[in-house]
Amino acid sequence: MKGSRVENYFTTSPLPIWWRTIVLLVASWSLITDVPWLLSQHGVVGTGQTAFAVAALVLLSIGPFIATFKAWFGAALTIVAALSEINGDVSPALLFLFALVIVCAFTATEQLSLIISITTVVWMTINAILTPAELVGIPLFAVALTCSVYAVIIWGKRQKFRAEDIARDRAKADQMHQSALMSERKLIARDLHDVIAHDITIVALQADMALTSKDHQQSAASLNIISQAAHRALDDLRSMMRVLTPTLGDVSEQDPDATLKTFMSEAELTLANLRFNVSLEAPENYPATPSDRELSPFVREATSNILSHARPGATVELSYGATEDSVWCRFANEYSAGSTEPDHDAQQSDSSASRPRIPSSGFGRGFMRERIERLGGTVSMGPDASRQRWVVHAEVPRISPP
C-alpha cells in the first residue's frame, strides 16, 4: 500500500453502510442468544463473576462493529475482552476475533491489520492448546480460516490498489500527452503564423493595389512584389516542413549573416513599397549579436500589423539599437484619433476607400508578446502620450557572441 493512502498509523478507511449493518446484526444476534446462555451457566444475576462475563461478552460483540468506525479502538476492546475467554472451552470469542480480522483487514492500515491478525492467531493458538483433544479442531480450524481469509483480503486490496495506481498513472500520462499536444499545436500555429502571415499580408495588399490601380507600371510593380512575397512564403513553408519532418532532408536555415539591421531594413523597404511614409533611425555602428535572429519573427509581425491596420501613406518611424545588456527595436505609426487599438474601426476609415481591410486573426500580438517574454525580454504596445501614434517596443537581453 502506498504511503500516500495512509495519513497515519491509526487511519480507518470507511466501510459501506451494508457492511456495518451486517456486523451490527451479528453483534445483536450474539447478545440476544449468548447472554441468556451465559446467565444460565453462571447462575444468579448480580454476582461479580456473572457481571464480568456479561461485560466481556458485550465488548466481544460490539468490538468488531466499533472497528468499522475506529479500527484500532474496536480491536483493542475485542482483544481485551477475549483475554477473559482464553480457557479450555470453545469460546464465542473465536467468532468475534475472526470477524474483527475481516473488518480490520478492510478498514485498518495494512500494518495495523497485520498486528491485529497476529494477535488474534496467537490467542486462537493458546486457546487450542488449552482446549481438550476432542475439541481442539475447532480453534485450529479458526486459525487456518483466519489466516487464509486475511491473506486473500490483503492480496485483493493490493491488486485493487495496483489497478488504481495503473489507472491513475495512465490518466496522468494521457493528461501530459494532451498537454504536450496542445503545446506542440500552439508552437506550430505560432511558427506557421510567423512564417507566412507577413508575406501573405504583402500579397493581399499588393493584389488590392494592382486591381485598383490604373497605372500599368504600378500594377506591374505590385505583381512583381506579389511574386517575390509568394516565393518567399513558399520557401519558408518548405523550411518549416523540413523542421517538422527531419527525414525530408536538411533544414533550410535563415541567412546566418542576417542581423537586426537586415530585418529592420527589409521592414523599411516593404513599407515603402506599399507607399507608407517610412523612416528608419539606425545606429552608425550596430554591434550584431545572436539576439538579433530571435527578433526576426517579431519584426515581421510588427511590420504586418502596420500593413494591416495603418492607413495608406501614414507616417511610420522605425528604430533599433543596443546597449551593453539588451537589444531593442521600436515601431511607431500614425493612426486615427479616438482609436485605442490598432485594429479599431476608426483607424480603417481613411483607408477603406483605398483598399479593403485585411482581417485580423487576433493571434499576432499574443505570439509577439509570448516570443519576447520567452526570451526574457519585455514588450509594450499601445498609443503614445499624444494618442496619435501606435507604438510597439520590444527589448530582449543581449546574447554575447560565442
Side-chain angles (χ1 to χ4, degrees):
M1 194 187 312
K2 289 192 175 182
S4 60
R5 294 196 186 92
V6 181
E7 296 178 2
N8 58 63
Y9 192 73
F10 299 104
T11 297
T12 300
S13 301
L15 278 180
I17 188 65
W18 62 270
W19 257 93
R20 292 175 176 173
T21 302
I22 291 175
V23 176
L24 180 60
L25 290 176
V26 172
S28 301
W29 170 80
S30 174
L31 290 175
I32 293 172
T33 59
D34 290 342
V35 169
W37 172 83
L38 185 64
L39 292 177
S40 66
Q41 294 293 318
H42 288 275
V44 182
V45 179
T47 64
Q49 184 180 3
T50 302
F52 181 78
V54 172
L57 181 60
V58 171
L59 291 180
L60 278 172
S61 302
I62 67 173
F65 178 69
I66 294 176
T68 62
F69 297 92
K70 288 289 184 182
W72 65 272
F73 186 62
L77 291 179
T78 306
I79 293 172
V80 168
L83 292 177
S84 65
E85 300 286 335
I86 190 167
N87 49 40
D89 298 327
V90 178
S91 170
L94 288 171
L95 172 63
F96 293 107
L97 288 172
F98 175 70
L100 176 69
V101 170
I102 295 177
V103 170
C104 291
F106 284 105
T107 62
T109 63
E110 187 171 322
Q111 296 88 341
L112 181 58
S113 67
L114 179 61
I115 293 175
I116 294 171
S117 299
I118 293 174
T119 304
T120 298
V121 169
V122 170
W123 186 98
M124 291 178 176
T125 303
I126 296 175
N127 182 254
I129 295 173
L130 298 177
T131 299
E134 63 273 13
L135 299 175
V136 72
I138 296 177
L140 290 180
F141 174 76
V143 169
L145 183 62
T146 300
C147 293
S148 301
V149 172
Y150 176 77
V152 170
I153 293 174
I154 295 301
W155 178 83
K157 286 179 66 177
R158 289 181 176 178
Q159 291 299 110
K160 176 185 176 183
F161 291 149
R162 183 170 178 268
E164 290 175 352
D165 290 338
I166 293 175
R168 183 168 52 251
D169 291 342
R170 285 178 177 174
K172 184 177 180 180
D174 289 342
Q175 184 179 5
M176 294 176 63
H177 177 66
Q178 291 298 324
S179 178
L181 280 179
M182 292 300 296
S183 298
E184 189 67 20
R185 289 171 181 172
K186 186 176 181 180
L187 180 62
I188 293 174
R190 186 190 66 200
D191 289 343
L192 186 63
H193 185 277
D194 290 344
V195 165
I196 65 171
H198 177 72
D199 290 325
I200 296 302
T201 299
I202 294 176
V203 169
L205 294 177
Q206 291 289 355
D208 292 340
M209 292 180 64
L211 288 173
T212 57
S213 177
K214 296 181 180 180
D215 187 339
H216 294 293
Q217 291 184 347
Q218 179 61 45
S219 297
S222 295
L223 291 175
N224 182 54
I225 295 174
I226 289 172
S227 176
Q228 295 175 5
H231 281 85
R232 187 164 57 245
L234 184 60
D235 290 339
D236 289 340
L237 275 176
R238 287 171 176 167
S239 297
M240 185 176 181
M241 290 303 299
R242 292 190 181 98
V243 171
L244 296 176
T245 315
T247 55
L248 292 180
D250 297 333
V251 177
S252 177
E253 295 289 343
Q254 192 179 44
D255 182 2
D257 296 327
T259 66
L260 183 56
K261 178 180 180 179
T262 306
F263 306 140
M264 296 298 285
S265 297
E266 290 176 352
E268 179 188 24
L269 179 61
T270 298
L271 293 168
N273 286 337
L274 287 164
R275 302 179 183 177
F276 285 92
N277 183 18
V278 59
S279 63
L280 174 62
E281 182 180 345
E284 294 183 1
N285 298 311
Y286 177 75
T289 70
S291 301
D292 292 4
R293 293 172 58 81
E294 302 295 339
L295 285 171
S296 172
F298 181 88
V299 172
R300 288 163 63 99
E301 181 58 33
T303 305
S304 296
N305 284 346
I306 295 175
L307 295 177
S308 299
H309 304 303
R311 62 177 178 81
T315 299
V316 179
E317 299 174 356
L318 310 179
S319 58
Y320 66 95
T323 65
E324 293 182 0
D325 302 320
S326 63
V327 177
W328 60 271
C329 59
R330 182 176 181 272
F331 298 76
N333 65 278
E334 291 179 312
Y335 77 109
S336 300
S339 173
T340 58
E341 293 291 334
D343 55 348
H344 193 277
D345 290 341
Q347 185 169 329
Q348 303 299 327
S349 59
D350 295 336
S351 61
S352 59
S354 302
R355 58 175 170 85
R357 177 179 178 179
I358 302 299
S360 174
S361 66
F363 296 126
R365 284 187 291 167
F367 289 152
M368 291 166 68
R369 189 178 301 278
E370 177 185 340
R371 182 178 293 275
I372 297 301
E373 290 177 351
R374 185 164 52 88
L375 296 172
T378 58
V379 60
S380 61
M381 306 178 192
D384 63 4
S386 66
R387 303 191 66 81
Q388 298 298 314
R389 295 189 305 171
W390 188 266
V391 179
V392 176
H393 180 92
E395 186 171 359
V396 299
R398 181 175 178 178
I399 302 175
S400 301

